[in-house]
Amino acid sequence: MAPTPLLLLLLLALTLVSAAVHPLDPLTAAEITSAINVIRASPLNSSASLAFHYVGLDEPPKPAVLAWPRSAPPRRAFVIARAGRATHELRVDLGNGAGRVLSDTVRHGSSFPTFTPDEQDAASVLPFQYPPFAASVARRGIPLSDVLCTTFSAGWFGRAERWAGRRVIVVQCFVAAGTANFYARPVEGVTAVVDLDAMEIVEYEDRVDPPVPKAEGTDYRAAAQRPPFGPENKPVTVVQSEGRGFEVDGHMIRWANWEFHLSFDPRAGSVISLASIKDSEEGTFRLVLYRGHVSELFVPYMDPSAEWYFKTFFDAGEFGFGLSTAPLEPFTDCPANAEFLDVDVSSGDGSPVRIPNAICLFERYAGDVAWRHTEFGFPGEMITEVRPEVSLVVRWAAVVGNYDYVIDWEFKTSGSIKIGVALSGILEVKGTYYAHADELSGDAHGSLVARNTLGVYHDHFFTFRLDLDVDGANNSFVKSRMKPVRAAGGPRRSYWTVEKETARTESVGQVELGSTTELMVVNPNKKTRIGNEVGYRIISLGGAATSLLDDDDYPQRRARYTKKQVWVTPYDEAEKWAAGLYADESRGDDNLAAWSQRNREIENRDIVLWYTVGIHHLPCQEDFPVMPLLTGGFELRPTNFFESNPLIRRRPNKPATRLHCSLH
Ligand SMILES: *[C@@H]1O[C@H](CO)[C@@H](O)[C@H](O)[C@H]1NC(C)=O
Ligand SMILES: *[C@@H]1O[C@H](CO)[C@@H](O)[C@H](O)[C@H]1NC(C)=O
Ligand SMILES: [Cu+2]
């Protein structure tokens, strides 16, 4: 039978759709399902405990991505599954027709993949079937029905515990009555260790018994607040009289002089790829960032006691930063002019889960200035030129247990990319006998934020992997040190000058930030007309803390890279996760610092810059019961990339109507 015109049309439509798939597009729900079905049809399915810990795109090699759309690389999924007590790495072909398992490798090693949300849920209800737990709770006079438990990664401490070598998680509990903020009411002193593969409690301790903090004053919900209310603001909104200024074409985003690919990964969260800026002189797009995303978020707490010492979290590697995505609220998380994108992830049993409003995109204009000058120098005449700062923001938020994180990628017409990290949410607090700051001993490991409530000292280290390809893949890393010089001869006694060093190998690419060193990624093969190497500078915008833990401390071995804010490595597609592909119970043998020990050459080749935004957090009362946003970040700023200020020919905006009718 000859194909009907309708069938032909359908086939044509299908071809067009598949041609539109960009090689870096995240897996669709259908692709997740098809990858899981293929694995379920393989011998691995005979394991009763088959669970899926990572289901994502098997990123095609860079040349294949750059060759698109002339040729399209095959679509493949990368899956990390657990079956029995073994970890399997699978690559699945998602190509035409039925897919197939291309490879299935058993991982040998002491560390483990990201937890699934399902197994964390299962572990956190185990105490309720464990009689000693009911006794602990009863002894404290708490109704069992008021108790709620959550899971904490156990870390690795080099000891020979009963459960060493097993995949375990710690369960601790809270009183969830009288407040939505159960984190503020810990049942301090009770700790259960769960073997995740056997799904049973293997260790239980009830050690100390400080009072459970009261519910009063802990709730953050509007409905739970009592007068006097305030402060009040009059509503503020954004008006775009001619509509939005950006275009969403599949996962490609085009706005002003920028274009980039926006993706999502269950471990990293939002991913920016192929960020290119149009050179208005040459009329062509020039690549800046091949791929950038959060690689790890290390959060060590500073209390060595039995209930707290292990709290040294790797939020991306252990919990899945992307899996922890919180849907964004229109009008508050993102302004009225925002567009929202959903993402698809896989649950532990492999079924796809859609997270609505996972990412938002909006143009930001907050009345700021991009450049200005007023000239008073001409007698009787004044010249003023001002250009407004309008930018495009890509926002994504994750909630890992108690903490909320907001990650922004902000693109500016000047060529800058600002990467912002922000922290909010609820402190991880410790129940204590202390009720007044005067009672605190020198080594309380935290600050008193409410009666019987200690906000424990801790850090947040956000490590970004930035595969910068400034005007091409082969780049160099240049450090410009400002050096004071003693002047001889003239009236001046001193000045400063600059000493430049191009890093030849990785050891020179590791930098502790200081105010007198400028860091640049340049393309030594491309120069401006007057001979400067084109480049991008890296500027800290707050949050430059490094880890204070000892090098031989176990959590520090696992996150050794947090002693320096900047690392530069040669591109290696296997090196994506700063704390290693398997971060749970890792031992520090597969991480950024370990890779860099090879001291490979990094001059004039494809390099990756790793940047850590670090924050030491000494909690205070304003962080309670919910913490106002605290921000840090950095800027990638064009430096001799353009021939001159790229906004010089930007025309002033048309005069807009003033919105206020009158001022009172
Ligand atoms: C895979 O295992 C599940 C659970 O044991 C079972 O329900 C399913 O039918 C199996 N699938 C295949 C294709 O064998
Ligand atoms: C980049 O540098 C590498 C190593 O020196 C070289 O093999 C490669 O050809 C260069 N690539 C380009 C595009 O110049
Ligand atoms: Cu904090």
Side-chain angles (χ1 to χ4, degrees), residues 6 130 226 260-261 284 306 330 473 540 579:
L6 191 65
Y130 191 73
R226 299 279 163 267
F260 58 90
H261 182 274
T284 51
S540 167

Side-chain angles (χ1 to χ4, degrees), residues 22 24 65-66 252-262 272-280 283-292 392 409 411-417 467-472 536 636 638 641-642:
H22 189 280
L24 294 175
V65 172
L66 294 173
M252 288 303 298
I253 312 294
R254 296 186 188 89
W255 171 79
N257 46 355
W258 279 104
E259 85 173 17
F260 58 90
H261 182 274
L262 171 57
I272 302 292
S273 305
L274 295 164
S276 309
I277 188 161
K278 192 169 186 176
D279 190 314
S280 58
T284 51
F285 278 93
R286 297 165 67 191
L287 188 57
V288 177
L289 178 69
Y290 177 75
R291 203 157 167 87
L392 180 71
W409 288 82
F411 294 85
K412 293 173 180 266
T413 48
S414 62
S416 274
I417 306 176
D467 181 0
L468 285 157
D469 282 5
V470 178
D471 232 354
Y536 260 73
L636 302 170
F641 185 85
F642 296 109

Side-chain angles (χ1 to χ4, degrees), residues 503-506 569-570 598-603 605 607:
R504 200 178 59 77
T505 63
E506 286 177 285
T569 58
R598 283 177 277 168
N599 202 18
R600 296 162 291 186
E601 300 215 350
I602 53 172
E603 188 176 349
R605 56 194 64 212
I607 53 177

Side-chain angles (χ1 to χ4, degrees), residues 473-474 525 603-606:
N474 282 359
N525 316 300
E603 188 176 349
N604 196 14
R605 56 194 64 212
D606 193 357

Side-chain angles (χ1 to χ4, degrees), residues 238-454:
V238 183
V239 177
Q240 291 196 280
S241 49
E242 294 174 25
R244 78 175 186 200
F246 60 89
E247 180 194 328
V248 180
D249 172 10
H251 290 266
M252 288 303 298
I253 312 294
R254 296 186 188 89
W255 171 79
N257 46 355
W258 279 104
E259 85 173 17
F260 58 90
H261 182 274
L262 171 57
S263 181
F264 181 84
D265 179 89
R267 182 159 174 175
S270 56
V271 181
I272 302 292
S273 305
L274 295 164
S276 309
I277 188 161
K278 192 169 186 176
D279 190 314
S280 58
E281 299 224 346
E282 299 181 9
T284 51
F285 278 93
R286 297 165 67 191
L287 188 57
V288 177
L289 178 69
Y290 177 75
R291 203 157 167 87
H293 56 79
V294 173
S295 175
E296 192 50 85
L297 169 52
F298 175 51
V299 187
Y301 282 77
M302 297 299 143
D303 184 333
S305 69
E307 289 77 23
W308 280 80
Y309 76 90
F310 58 87
K311 294 187 178 178
T312 52
F313 307 121
F314 291 83
D315 281 348
E318 291 173 340
F319 297 96
F321 210 22
L323 288 179
S324 309
T325 298
L328 294 161
E329 286 284 313
F331 305 106
T332 45
D333 273 326
C334 310
N337 59 333
E339 294 277 324
F340 292 82
L341 307 174
D342 302 342
V343 301
D344 294 300
V345 295
S346 132
S347 64
D349 69 3
S351 50
V353 178
R354 170 149 294 192
I355 306 175
N357 294 358
I359 299 176
C360 79
L361 275 158
F362 59 92
E363 288 165 281
R364 170 186 278 164
Y365 176 57
D368 292 329
V369 172
W371 67 262
R372 79 169 324 286
H373 182 63
T374 297
E375 184 49 67
F376 294 116
F378 298 106
E381 190 191 349
M382 189 173 85
I383 301 168
T384 294
E385 292 282 334
V386 189
R387 300 294 178 273
E389 176 83 303
V390 184
S391 59
L392 180 71
V393 178
V394 177
R395 177 165 295 167
W396 163 71
V399 180
V400 188
N402 51 313
Y403 249 100
D404 295 55
Y405 296 105
V406 183
I407 305 291
D408 279 358
W409 288 82
E410 182 175 4
F411 294 85
K412 293 173 180 266
T413 48
S414 62
S416 274
I417 306 176
K418 262 174 77 173
I419 293 113
V421 308
L423 296 74
S424 189
I426 293 166
L427 289 175
E428 209 152 299
V429 300
K430 181 179 184 179
T432 171
Y433 290 100
Y434 301 126
H436 193 280
D438 288 350
E439 300 164 14
L440 255 64
S441 70
D443 205 9
H445 313 302
S447 24
L448 203 62
V449 295
R451 277 180 78 87
N452 306 122
T453 312
L454 276 176

Side-chain angles (χ1 to χ4, degrees), residues 37 40-42 45-48 50:
N37 285 345
R40 287 220 176 270
S42 80
N45 196 46
S46 60
S47 164
L50 181 63

Side-chain angles (χ1 to χ4, degrees), residues 3 12 31 60-61 68 125 155 161 185 220 222 262 290 301 307 313 317 417 473 484 544 566 576 578 597:
L12 183 66
E31 286 176 321
W68 190 86
V125 295
E161 281 118 333
R185 308 194 67 200
Y220 48 83
L262 171 57
Y290 177 75
Y301 282 77
E307 289 77 23
F313 307 121
I417 306 176
V566 176
K576 275 193 189 137
Q597 241 165 6

Side-chain angles (χ1 to χ4, degrees), residues 48-64:
S49 65
L50 181 63
F52 300 94
H53 292 253
Y54 178 90
V55 182
L57 176 73
D58 185 22
E59 191 186 317
K62 200 185 262 200

